[in-house]
Amino acid sequence: MLCLTAPSCSPSLPPRPSRPAADRPGPGISGGGNVRLSAVPAPSSLRWSWPRKAKSKFSVPVSAPRDYTMATAEDGVGDLPIYDLDPKFAGFKEHFSYRMKKYLDQKHSIEKHEGGLEEFSKGYLKFGINTENDATVYREWAPAAMDAQLIGDFNNWNGSGHRMTKDNYGVWSIRISHVNGKPAIPHNSKVKFRFHRGDGLWVDRVPAWIRYATFDASKFGAPYDGVHWDPPSGERYVFKHPRPRKPDAPRIYEAHVGMSGEKPEVSTYREFADNVLPRIKANNYNTVQLMAIMEHSYYASFGYHVTNFFAVSSRSGTPEDLKYLVDKAHSLGLRVLMDVVHSHASSNKTDGLNGYDVGQNTQESYFHTGERGYHKLWDSRLFNYANWEVLRFLLSNLRYWMDEFMFDGFRFDGVTSMLYNHHGINMSFAGSYKEYFGLDTDVDAVVYLMLANHLMHKLLPEATVVAEDVSGMPVLCRSVDEGGVGFDYRLAMAIPDRWIDYLKNKDDLEWSMSGIAHTLTNRRYTEKCIAYAESHDQSIVGDKTMAFLLMDKEMYTGMSDLQPASPTIDRGIALQKMIHFITMALGGDGYLNFMGNEVISGYLSKLISDQYVSGFLEKNPLGRAKSLNICFL
């Protein structure tokens, strides 16, 4: 067992088995096999020059700049800038050294065998269905399969003439030449991956890297089919507008496209772009955060049980429609973040990634085996982040959405579940550093997040990446080079919990201003937070909106234009305005509101002009409180 914190135990990494140069795969195609989980020893030394002062708008301890030397995998990492931020981190050097070594070794291994992290993240250009010269090429990682075929409309679902071949690393492939200069698999035609399991059965699965998936809406519970999406050049959407610059203080409008329309039906990407985006802009938001974009077969999961990670949710339109939405947002000066779910995957087998797990060992699967591979509260599968092909899949997934759809960043869902082996279940984090840096930490997942954040900020330096973490893990929002995990912001999840507690359990005359202010300002001063009073968690996931908690049934009887508002309505609206206002003022370095809470939009829009908020949210908490001169209640 590896000891991550005890001074007497020095972690060591197993040597990577040597491989002949001729046997090494070319960049971006395949790799791993029996050596996926091992790390290549780093060079004898890696010397990076870091500024002693962290890049932050806050005051942090400073000393003269000097070089920081990263030692080899055998010696550990000597010194990191994060130790200057908090002297208590020095007591956990074993942990930080171990995870930084693992990150550097994994990164070096990718550079050696795949041509670099950027090349590695282009997996979607190799795996799945792609056009290469005068042929259509399909690749799929399925080490446990005994035989495999590509089936679909193009061959009348008979794969006997389209059998695939398997390489040494479990990657199946087939090359199908064009017919009369046209692809043998037409655009918008259905396809599936058929493979022979070890028990003798043949099963059909949606390709793991498919970019579009649909189902027969006339049949109840119909499974999804993969759809080959490769429109001719005349039908491809071409982006016309550049990405807006990264705002100093993001003001985020969180939205679910399907539920954004006025009609009792699933709204479309184009309807959202034309009807909702202008209203978002008019209310002085500068960022839109979209949930439920990745395909999910169960609509009521709100997009959090993903079945097809590279596919746009077909209920709201096609990939080209989503590109239109993002481009329209950019034309209005709005940045667009995507709610990405890499913390778990749907347990569906017929139309989800879980269908590729046919009982093989964890080195040959996307997921851990046994209890470690299953989230008992979410009924979903958990990734093996140490697996080579899982890293390729997830890192390429991020790059795909950034490159192909021009997303400006991500909000990572379920980060707490990723960070810890216990997934935060039945845990109450009291703030002791032993809760964050020890054997409960899933270092493989932390390393994946470090790789992901490093990649995203290298590809797009102005990317905005937000972590949904309820545990409050320190240095989650410090850069990877400093020894952190690399996120830009974390959601201030304690704030809505405080408001819910007050609204449900206390009369508003009993609210404590000092208690509210403490909750709003209780955060690590060197890490940035996005404040919010209510998000989709409070508004649509098994609870009431803040408006209903304040006004309940009188929203139906006391808000008529034919008579004056009732006292409950007047007081409820006033309290909601004040709740959102003070949350924005004191809660963090950015602000988020979920769609539908528009009762306060007209009020706040008068306050949050670009010029005002840019300075307003960057002052320290005491400065903000003094400048506002808030009189609560």
Side-chain angles (χ1 to χ4, degrees), residues 129 138 148-164 174 176 185 189-195 202-205 207 225-226:
I129 303 174
Y138 172 54
Q149 303 171 351
L150 178 61
I151 59 174
D153 293 335
F154 76 100
N155 61 9
N156 294 318
W157 302 92
N158 184 350
S160 59
H162 293 91
R163 296 184 63 184
M164 303 176 69
I174 185 172
I176 307 173
I185 305 177
S189 63
K190 295 178 180 179
V191 292
K192 279 194 173 182
F193 176 60
R194 174 174 289 171
F195 66 92
W202 286 85
V203 294
D204 297 347
R205 298 290 184 254
D225 290 309

Side-chain angles (χ1 to χ4, degrees), residues 9 70 109 177 312 422 435 437 496 511 551 594 596:
C9 179
M70 288 198 169
S109 180
S177 299
V312 168
H422 52 62
E435 298 172 332
F437 311 124
W511 293 4
M551 297 172 279
F594 181 66

